[in-house]
Amino acid sequence: GPPPQAVLDQRWLWNVLLFLVTAVFVLRLVGLDIAGALLSGLMLCFGIIMTRDGMQDMAKYALVYAVLCGLNFFFDILPLITELGGRMTRVAQVDGSSADQTGLRSTTYTMTTRITPFFDWSQGVVYNCQSMSMLISPIAMALGVYLSISAHNEIQRHTMPLWDGDLEDFGRAFPPAQPAEPLPPPVGIGARNRAVGGSGSTPPQS
C-alpha cells in the first residue's frame, strides 16, 4: 500500500534528489566518465521506481537505496576532499631512448605534475563538467541517505502497530486451553478390583 503521510509529504525532496542525480548523469556523460554515468543512471532508475505510483514500492527498496547512496557518498567524497583545493594531473612524456654497446635499450620518461583550479574555464567544457559532477554527486547521495532512512523508519513505525493488532486477533481466534478431565479407570481393572475385594472372608461373629 501507500507509505505514511509523513513520507508522502517529502515527495518534493525526492523530486529534488531525482533532479540532482539526473544532472550528475548528464555531467558525467559530457565529462566522458562512462562508468560514473552508468552508476548514476542506475541510481536514477532506482529512484524513479521507488517514487512512481504514489510511492507504492517505497517500503521494499528504501533500506537498500539508503545503503547504495551511503556507499556512493563515501566513494564520491574522498576525491572531492583531495581535489577541492586544486585538481592534479600527471603527464608522462618520452624524452628519448638509447642503446648501449650490448644492445640493451633504455627509454627516459619525464613525469610532469600540474595543479589546476577546481573550476578553470580555460581547461574546456569536459574538465569543468567533471568538476561539477564531483561537487553535486556527494550532495545528491547525502540527500538520498537522509530521505531513504527517514522513509524506512517512518514505515517501520507505522507497521509495528499493525503487526501487534494481527497477533492479538490471531490469539483471540483460538480459545484458551481447558484443563484435561481425568480418564475413567478401565472397565476390566475396576471389575477385577471389586471382585478381589468382595471375595475376602469375614471373621465369624460371636
Side-chain angles (χ1 to χ4, degrees):
Q5 186 61 38
V7 179
L8 295 175
D9 291 341
Q10 292 183 332
R11 180 62 183 264
W12 68 276
L13 285 175
W14 283 97
N15 292 332
V16 171
L17 173 63
L18 295 180
F19 173 78
L20 292 177
V21 177
T22 303
V24 174
F25 173 72
V26 174
L27 289 171
R28 284 177 171 174
L29 278 181
V30 177
L32 304 179
D33 184 7
I34 305 301
L38 289 176
L39 183 59
S40 299
L42 290 176
M43 297 300 294
L44 177 61
C45 294
F46 208 165
I48 293 174
I49 292 174
M50 294 171 60
T51 55
R52 68 181 180 182
D53 298 332
M55 296 184 173
Q56 297 283 339
D57 296 328
M58 182 63 66
K60 294 190 292 185
Y61 303 119
L63 187 59
V64 178
Y65 199 73
V67 173
L68 293 177
C69 288
L71 291 174
N72 283 310
F73 174 80
F74 176 76
F75 288 109
D76 287 340
I77 198 66
L78 293 180
L80 178 63
I81 293 175
T82 57
E83 298 188 2
L84 192 59
R87 294 179 58 182
M88 182 181 299
T89 56
R90 294 182 175 90
V91 179
Q93 296 178 346
V94 179
D95 288 343
S97 60
S98 60
D100 56 12
Q101 297 178 354
T102 61
L104 183 62
R105 180 173 296 275
S106 61
T107 304
T108 304
Y109 294 89
T110 300
M111 181 70 69
T112 303
T113 302
R114 183 176 60 175
I115 298 177
T116 54
F118 192 74
F119 288 103
D120 188 359
W121 300 112
S122 63
Q123 298 296 323
V125 176
V126 174
Y127 177 90
N128 289 279
C129 285
Q130 293 173 352
S131 299
M132 184 64 70
S133 65
M134 292 174 61
L135 184 63
I136 297 178
S137 183
I139 298 174
M141 294 300 103
L143 180 59
V145 171
Y146 165 73
L147 292 176
S148 301
I149 293 180
S150 299
H152 176 73
N153 292 337
E154 192 68 24
I155 291 170
Q156 291 297 316
R157 190 170 65 86
H158 282 74
T159 302
M160 293 305 296
L162 297 179
W163 275 103
D164 294 340
D166 292 340
L167 292 177
E168 292 177 0
D169 295 339
F170 182 78
R172 286 194 295 266
F174 294 91
Q178 299 294 333
E181 298 181 357
L183 296 176
V187 176
I189 296 176
R192 189 184 308 115
N193 291 337
R194 287 194 299 271
V196 172
S199 64
S201 59
T202 58
Q205 300 291 332
S206 60

